[in-house]
Amino acid sequence: MAGLMLVGAQAARAACSNPVACENQLQGDPESDWQPTTPDDPAIEGFATSMSVNVGQTVSFKIKTSSTAYHVDILRIGYYGGDGARKLATIQPSASLPQSQPACLTQASTGLIDCGNWAVSASWTVPSNAISGVYIAHLVRDDARPISGQS
């Protein structure tokens, strides 16, 4: 019976003409795999250097953590059968770990905090078959303290 369901799902995707609708029909990853357990955990924090990228472009991530082992899961937000996201890639840091980051720049008069002076920790090149949408980078510690955050 599972084979029939798979064939039916493949046939439905083949008949789908809207790439976003087709993508959202795929199996997602449960929220427990990608939702941060603590939203503002200082044990691992970071950000993407670009707010928007296109296929073939590379987005870099600047990450601060004392961890000696972590990875970054790239997920696309969507329906995905109610799961809310689908993991597309897992990338490893390109920096030697643990990576030391300098203090963020601050401007007392405006309250601005700018961590743009951090070094790049990891990068992801958007594949040519990526579907338009909102993507997140889920930062996951793999060491003894498995706390995760989101960029």
Side-chain angles (χ1 to χ4, degrees), residues 20 71 138 142:
V20 173
H71 68 272
H138 182 213
D142 299 318

Side-chain angles (χ1 to χ4, degrees), residues 14 16 20 46 51 57 67 69 82 104 108 113 115 117 124 127 133 135 144 148:
C16 186
V20 173
M51 294 300 290
Q57 294 181 320
S67 178
C104 297
I113 299 173
C115 299
N117 59 332
W124 180 59
Y135 291 75
S148 60

Side-chain angles (χ1 to χ4, degrees), residues 116-136:
N117 59 332
W118 288 2
V120 170
S121 306
S123 298
W124 180 59
T125 300
V126 181
S128 61
N129 63 346
I131 301 298
S132 178
V134 175
Y135 291 75
I136 62 170

Side-chain angles (χ1 to χ4, degrees), residues 52-134:
S52 179
V53 290
N54 206 342
V55 296
Q57 294 181 320
T58 300
V59 59
S60 295
F61 302 96
K62 296 183 176 189
I63 300 166
K64 180 179 180 182
T65 182
S66 59
S67 178
T68 57
Y70 72 90
H71 68 272
V72 181
D73 288 334
I74 305 295
L75 298 103
R76 182 183 180 278
I77 302 297
Y79 177 67
Y80 300 111
D83 285 326
R86 183 170 81 94
K87 184 173 19 175
L88 301 174
T90 296
I91 57 175
Q92 299 299 320
S94 54
S96 296
L97 300 180
Q99 181 182 12
S100 178
Q101 298 286 17
C104 297
L105 306 172
T106 59
Q107 191 173 72
S109 62
T110 63
L112 175 70
I113 299 173
D114 178 4
C115 299
N117 59 332
W118 288 2
V120 170
S121 306
S123 298
W124 180 59
T125 300
V126 181
S128 61
N129 63 346
I131 301 298
S132 178
V134 175

